[in-house]
Amino acid sequence: MDVILLEKIRNLGSLGEKVKVKPGYARNFLVPQGKAVYATKDNVVKFEQRRAELEAAAAGRLEQAKVRQQEINALAPMTIIAKASEEGKLYGSVGTRDIAALISKTGVHVEKREIRLSEGLLRLVGEYDITIELEGDLTATVKLTITSEG
C-alpha cells in the first residue's frame, strides 16, 4: 500500500516521500496518528498544497530538537547508585524509565521512548554512554555511571 509521509519517520522515509508499507501499518498507525495519508490522486494534490506548511512545522520541530540537544550534551555526567553483588552485577537493572527520570530531575525533558540502550537493560556496574534520539537523525549523548551501594 502506498502512502505519502507527512513527517520524517525513522527507518521509513522523510516528509513528502511516497513509500510502500504494509496495509495494517498504514491503517492502524500511520494514518490515525496523522503521520501519513493514502497516496491517492486527490491526496497528492492536497499534500502539494500543504507542503510549505508541513515543511515549516518540521523545521520548527528540528530547531527545538537542536536546542534540546545542546542542553542534553551540556549535562554533567550522571550517577545512579544501585544494589550490586561483589562481582558488579546489579540486583535488578537500570532501564529507560530510570534514566529518563534521572535526566528529567535536572530540568531537561526527555521521554523514555527517546532513550536508546544498545545493549538492552543495564545490569552491570560501570560507565555508559546513553544515546538519546531526538528529532529525525539528531542525537544527544549523556554519560551515566552506575555504582554499587556502600
Side-chain angles (χ1 to χ4, degrees):
M1 170 175 284
D2 290 334
V3 295
I4 301 169
L5 298 177
L6 300 178
E7 64 183 61
K8 182 172 180 149
I9 298 177
R10 188 168 317 173
N11 299 329
L12 189 58
S14 60
L15 174 75
E17 253 183 78
K18 186 176 178 182
V19 294
K20 188 173 198 73
V21 296
K22 292 190 176 185
Y25 185 48
R27 182 177 55 247
N28 297 323
F29 178 71
L30 293 175
V31 174
Q33 296 280 326
K35 297 178 185 288
V37 293
Y38 296 111
T40 62
K41 290 180 183 179
D42 292 340
N43 284 343
V44 170
V45 171
K46 287 178 186 175
F47 172 78
E48 289 304 326
Q49 292 171 349
R50 289 185 58 202
R51 181 182 282 274
E53 172 192 331
L54 293 170
E55 286 176 349
R61 286 193 307 268
L62 185 62
E63 286 304 315
Q64 289 175 344
K66 285 181 182 179
V67 169
R68 286 183 58 215
Q69 179 188 35
Q70 291 173 351
E71 291 174 348
I72 292 169
N73 286 336
L75 289 175
M78 310 194 124
T79 303
I80 292 180
I81 299 172
K83 291 183 179 180
S85 67
E86 304 222 354
E87 298 87 39
K89 290 185 178 181
L90 297 180
Y91 297 125
S93 61
V94 175
T96 57
R97 179 178 292 141
D98 304 317
I99 297 167
L102 182 67
I103 294 172
S104 294
K105 285 181 185 175
T106 64
V108 178
H109 177 70
V110 175
E111 295 181 23
K112 69 177 192 168
R113 66 178 171 81
E114 297 174 323
I115 297 172
R116 297 288 175 255
L117 299 176
S118 58
E119 303 137 14
L121 295 173
L122 306 177
R123 299 180 188 274
L124 297 172
V125 171
E127 292 184 5
Y128 299 92
D129 287 329
I130 306 300
T131 303
I132 301 170
E133 294 181 349
L134 303 168
E135 185 72 25
D137 297 329
L138 209 58
T139 62
T141 305
V142 173
K143 292 212 175 280
L144 176 71
T145 304
I146 300 176
T147 58
S148 64
E149 288 182 346

